[in-house]
Amino acid sequence: MLNMNSLLQWSIFILFCQLVSSNKDSMTCGSTFKLVNQQSGDRLHSHDVKYGSGSGQQSVTGTPNADDVNSYWQVRGDIRNDCERGTPIKCDSVVRLFHVTTRRNLHSHNYQSPLSNNQEVSAYGEDGVGDEGDRWKVVCTTKNDYWLRADPVRLQHVVTGKYLHLSGDTYGRPIQGQKEISCYSHANRQNLWKVDAGVYIRPSTEPLSSTRDDNSNSRSQSATTDRFEDEL
């Protein structure tokens, strides 16, 4: 029969294992990934195409193309309180999303979006330097303490309180077929997002791991992550 000391040790060990398991599955600061809208299946996307109205800043859209490199975003800490690389991100944390290709931040402000007349979402700043409009709160939809990769979340714009949203309205030229991304005041399935393919930084000293969204033969894990880090 186990004595009290043994029971205490086992309890601590089990709790430690649960925490490690949870952190391994959580989103971490510095991870780079695609975000998929849970209503439409489109990926959050940007490119060097400016809005023809509103702010005139770089447009942010939803694309059905799973292979487009312009759909990669890197999660970074709050402009007021940056986070260390590999730190698990807690629910209700404030983060920034950095567009890898154009090096601008996911942004919103009090301009109308061009199609739905919701609140415009753009990509803003230079080399990741932006302003208060780049701050997004991670709103978890489960009872977990951390933003887990398997769980859909909402991203709430801190300044205006509205949610990152895919309206379903479709653009014509020059970005024909892409969907409007806006901010919307009410929580619904159109503003649920889930992470997809990317490079995920493991907590502590664990190496990077990657997932792929194509069926090609992948190279070794270390080669893939090294190449991706060079691009960042």
Side-chain angles (χ1 to χ4, degrees):
M1 184 174 180
L2 294 174
N3 58 35
M4 290 300 295
N5 285 337
S6 297
L7 285 172
L8 179 60
Q9 290 172 354
W10 272 108
S11 297
I12 293 172
F13 176 74
I14 291 170
L15 178 61
F16 174 77
C17 290
Q18 289 173 338
L19 288 172
V20 169
S21 176
S22 174
N23 283 348
K24 283 182 67 175
D25 296 330
S26 63
M27 290 299 299
T28 52
C29 192
S31 293
T32 301
F33 50 87
K34 296 180 180 181
L35 271 175
V36 179
N37 185 269
Q38 295 301 281
Q39 175 71 24
S40 69
D42 292 292
R43 287 150 181 80
L44 187 69
H45 178 89
S46 192
H47 37 225
D48 195 13
V49 177
K50 305 294 192 294
Y51 286 120
S53 61
S55 69
Q57 293 175 4
Q58 180 174 302
S59 58
V60 173
T61 63
T63 178
N65 186 352
D67 299 323
D68 198 318
V69 297
N70 287 317
S71 300
Y72 280 108
W73 301 83
Q74 183 184 66
V75 62
R76 296 183 170 185
D78 186 11
I79 193 172
R80 300 180 181 180
N81 184 26
D82 207 355
C83 57
E84 291 187 12
R85 176 184 170 93
T87 303
I89 297 172
K90 291 185 176 182
C91 296
D92 297 328
S93 294
V94 175
V95 300
R96 292 169 294 159
L97 289 179
F98 172 77
H99 188 242
V100 174
T101 308
T102 62
R103 306 187 66 80
R104 293 189 170 99
N105 297 326
L106 186 69
H107 180 89
S108 192
H109 40 215
N110 288 313
Y111 286 93
Q112 281 191 340
S113 59
L115 301 182
S116 65
N117 295 323
N118 291 333
Q119 182 174 295
E120 183 189 273
V121 172
S122 65
Y124 173 77
E126 297 295 334
D127 288 326
V129 179
D131 63 19
E132 293 286 320
D134 304 339
R135 304 175 70 222
W136 299 86
K137 179 181 177 181
V138 178
V139 180
C140 296
T141 58
T142 65
K143 295 182 179 180
N144 294 310
D145 294 329
Y146 290 88
W147 177 8
L148 300 186
R149 283 157 49 184
D151 293 342
V153 297
R154 291 185 174 90
L155 293 169
Q156 185 176 30
H157 191 238
V158 172
V159 174
T160 63
K162 297 183 179 181
Y163 298 100
L164 185 70
H165 182 82
L166 192 145
S167 67
D169 296 294
T170 304
Y171 287 105
R173 294 180 181 275
I175 49 176
Q176 189 164 353
Q178 295 186 24
K179 306 285 180 55
E180 182 191 73
I181 298 293
S182 62
C183 274
Y184 188 64
S185 55
H186 301 295
N188 60 30
R189 187 167 174 79
Q190 289 171 269
N191 41 59
L192 278 177
W193 300 87
K194 190 174 178 181
V195 298
D196 192 28
V199 177
Y200 298 95
I201 311 300
R202 288 295 192 189
S204 69
T205 58
E206 293 185 56
L208 294 171
S209 66
S210 64
T211 57
R212 296 173 61 89
D213 55 2
D214 57 46
N215 295 321
S216 62
N217 293 326
S218 61
R219 294 169 295 172
S220 68
Q221 178 175 314
S222 60
T224 302
T225 53
D226 287 345
R227 181 174 66 91
F228 209 105
E229 283 193 293
D230 287 342
E231 292 177 357
L232 300 180

